[in-house]
Amino acid sequence: MRYIALIYHDEAAQAQSTQEELGAVYAAHTAFGTEAQGRGVLLGGEALYDTSAATTVRVRNSQTLTTDGPFAETKEQLGGYYILQCDNLDEAIEWAAKIPGADTGSIEVRPLVEFD
């Protein structure tokens, strides 16, 4: 089954990180990706720009409305994701626990719907 692992972190805290600290995070993500890909678990993943680059779109009364930024203000923001191929939720959770940032932010794991 395919699972998405959504990576949430505190953008304000990350903005205070040094280049050395950010480099260590990027290296940890590269190591995770290498391990997960080598084990046949990683199907894809991407990093996202900060929420300041986001646009929220709504359609009301046939009118398209846009708002700069995310839908809601939260302490943690979505920073990226991995798509994982796992046998079950327990395996997906094991892999999610290895994702850098799980120790300072959170990783939301959801199964992806398989359409025929």
Side-chain angles (χ1 to χ4, degrees):
M1 175 166 252
R2 293 181 312 144
Y3 291 87
I4 190 165
L6 300 167
I7 305 164
Y8 289 92
H9 68 280
D10 183 342
E11 287 179 354
Q14 183 179 15
Q16 302 300 315
S17 299
T18 66
Q19 287 299 332
E20 184 177 278
E21 291 168 332
L22 291 174
V25 170
Y26 299 146
H29 277 283
T30 298
F32 171 82
T34 300
E35 179 186 1
Q37 191 168 29
R39 303 275 262 325
V41 173
L42 183 63
L43 300 178
E46 296 292 337
L48 301 174
Y49 281 102
D50 285 349
T51 55
S52 62
T55 302
T56 299
V57 178
R58 295 177 185 84
V59 177
R60 301 293 186 269
N61 299 317
S62 301
Q63 296 290 318
T64 301
L65 308 170
T66 61
T67 306
D68 290 340
F71 177 73
E73 300 256 343
T74 61
K75 183 178 178 188
E76 295 179 336
Q77 294 77 35
L78 180 62
Y81 66 92
Y82 289 107
I83 305 292
L84 307 172
Q85 178 69 45
C86 299
D87 291 333
N88 52 51
L89 179 59
D90 290 336
E91 182 184 6
I93 291 170
E94 287 177 28
W95 280 101
K98 294 181 179 186
I99 295 173
D103 56 344
T104 57
S106 63
I107 312 298
E108 179 182 345
V109 177
R110 282 197 212 179
L112 294 174
V113 176
E114 302 289 347
F115 291 100
D116 292 331

